[in-house]
Structure formats: structure tokens, C-alpha cells
Amino acid sequence: MIRDQAKKPAKAPANEAPAKAGKGGAEKPAAAKGVAKLGKGVIAVAPPSFRRERALLKQGVWPVAGCDEAGRGPLAGPVVAAAVVLDPKRIPKGLDDSKRLTAEEREELFEKICRTSAFAVAFAPPARIDRDNILRASLWALARAVHALPELPKRVFVDGRDRIDVSCDCEAVIGGDGLVMSIAAASIVAKVTRDRLMCALAQDCPGYGFEQHKGYAVPEHLAALNRLGPSVHHRSLFAPVVAARAKHQPGIITPEPDLFAETTVITSTEITVGL
């Protein structure tokens, strides 16, 4: 049998500071000069930039909008799409992908975006999702949001790999909510709007916990769906909803009318109180 020999510690380069002894005599490696020390397992992620928008602005291409959606994955509620044109002179500090922000940070930035930017929000209701499928319904809502802006942009950046059907230049940016500042702003507007809407739906349909999980398929939601059956706000063709309907409404094929069956669009000039 060959035994592994104990490895001898490598000698530090001549220009490297000697390691300092920590508690118990253990040696701690010297930190590189001028480099911030990150916690174990922490990956530094750069915030989105305004580089793409600024380059177009210098070319005379303006307005430039970013658009994103929230709510593709849930079992209930609409997909909410937002389009935002930032004011280059009044960009709120701290803009980032909505998923990297806390709820409190999103709420604060939402208010700042609404005060300083042109924006529009459109909804694809569950009925539309059931009819077209979730991807097509999302792209449809994104296009509706762009066309609802106070001024049609000359260029649109959309998060994801799919371009949308708009009457201007459109560029799809994979991971755009973490790269393009306008898309990050749109992700915040879409997320906050949808979260507020789901809290309102929780009052209309108590017992499902929409105010907590926002319609996503968490265990609490699945348990409520199994216990209560689908509500008018559930997406009828999603598998857990189909199973719940089969249990509570055997023989029922046609979904009930949806509260948000009509298209809804909100622009920066008509903000609904409470959303």
C-alpha cells in the first residue's frame, strides 16, 4: 500500500507579506493589498449599467426603453409586464435586478422610478395564459406595455432570448435584468406591481395565502389548492390546478370567468392607487 506523504507548506514568495498567526496558533494568509476581502462562498456581481442606453443616446437614438415581466411561474394571477424609459439625468441610485433586492428596497425604488421615469404596465390574465400559453402571453403583455408608453421608443431592450412584436427596433438580452439598467427598472416595476396585485387578490379570495407566496407553487399554496379547489384567479391549465379541479369539480372542463379577463394597462400618467 502506498501511503500519502504529508505535504510540506509552500514557501511564500519573497515579495509576499508573512502570514499572521491567528487563534490557536493557526496561520492566516495575508490579504492581497488593495483587494476587498469577500466572505466564503460570496461571488461579487456587478450591478446593471446604463452603457447601452448612453451609447444610443449619443447616436441620437432616444427614447430607449427596457422591459421585463413578473409572474411566469405562479399557478395564479396574471403575468405583469412593464416598460420603462429612464431619465438619463435622474436615474435612481441602487437600480438592480429585482431578484437581488429585498422587498423594502424594491418598494423604495419603485416609487423613485415612478417619479422620475416614463413607464407603462400591462397584464396578461389567466384566461390569456390558458389560451396562448405562458410564453406567448408574456410576450404579448410586454409588447402591450411598450406600446402604452407616453412616447413610442426608438429602441427596446427586453429581458430574455425572445424579441417582442413592437413597431420599433428591439433587442433581446439574456440576463438583461442584471445587465441593462432600463430592464432592471422594468423588473422592479413589474415585480412590485404584481406583488401588490396578489395582495389585493388575497382579500378577494381568502384562504389561499396569495399575500404570502404571490401565487407560486409553494407547499402552503398547493395544500390550500388541494383543500379549497381552484379560484377564478388560478391558471386553469397548469397541472396542479387541473388536479385540484378534477378533485373538487369533477366533470367541469370550461374554466370559470376570470376577474382580469379584460386587458389592463397602466401608464405613468394614470397610476391606480393601491397597486
Side-chain angles (χ1 to χ4, degrees), residues 77-268:
V79 168
V80 176
V84 175
V85 177
L86 293 170
D87 182 342
K89 297 180 180 179
R90 295 193 299 165
I91 299 176
K93 293 183 179 180
L95 289 181
D96 205 341
D97 176 359
S98 62
K99 297 184 291 296
R100 298 178 190 165
L101 302 170
T102 65
E104 292 75 15
E105 290 171 334
R106 287 195 297 265
E107 287 283 345
E108 182 178 351
L109 284 167
F110 174 85
E111 299 297 337
K112 292 180 180 179
I113 294 167
C114 292
R115 287 196 303 266
T116 61
S117 311
F119 72 94
V121 178
F123 304 85
R128 183 100 192 186
I129 296 169
D130 292 338
R131 192 191 77 175
D132 294 349
N133 78 38
I134 186 61
L135 174 59
R136 291 180 181 176
S138 299
L139 297 177
W140 175 83
L142 287 165
R144 292 280 297 176
V146 170
H147 283 124
L149 285 167
E151 181 181 357
L152 185 67
K154 293 182 179 179
R155 176 72 64 87
V156 171
F157 293 112
V158 59
D159 182 47
R161 63 179 67 252
D162 299 298
R163 292 189 295 175
I164 55 179
D165 185 15
V166 290
S167 51
C168 60
D169 291 338
C170 178
E171 181 179 343
V173 183
I174 296 175
D177 45 7
L179 298 173
V180 182
M181 196 168 285
S182 295
I183 298 179
S187 76
I188 293 169
V189 172
K191 172 64 174 171
V192 172
T193 301
R194 189 178 189 279
D195 283 357
R196 292 182 181 185
L197 175 61
M198 294 308 295
C199 289
L201 295 189
Q203 298 179 11
D204 182 67
C205 287
Y208 293 95
F210 290 152
E211 72 280 8
Q212 297 295 328
H213 51 67
K214 309 302 186 290
Y216 283 88
V218 299
E220 295 79 6
H221 187 190
L222 294 175
L225 190 58
N226 183 62
R227 184 177 69 255
L228 302 173
S231 72
V232 295
H233 307 302
H234 281 90
R235 301 171 183 180
S236 299
L237 300 183
F238 280 42
V241 182
V242 172
R245 176 168 285 107
K247 174 183 177 181
H248 289 268
Q249 303 169 354
I252 299 296
I253 299 177
T254 305
E256 300 177 43
D258 190 280
L259 182 64
F260 290 90
E262 295 297 326
T263 301
T264 306
V265 175
I266 301 175
T267 69
S268 53

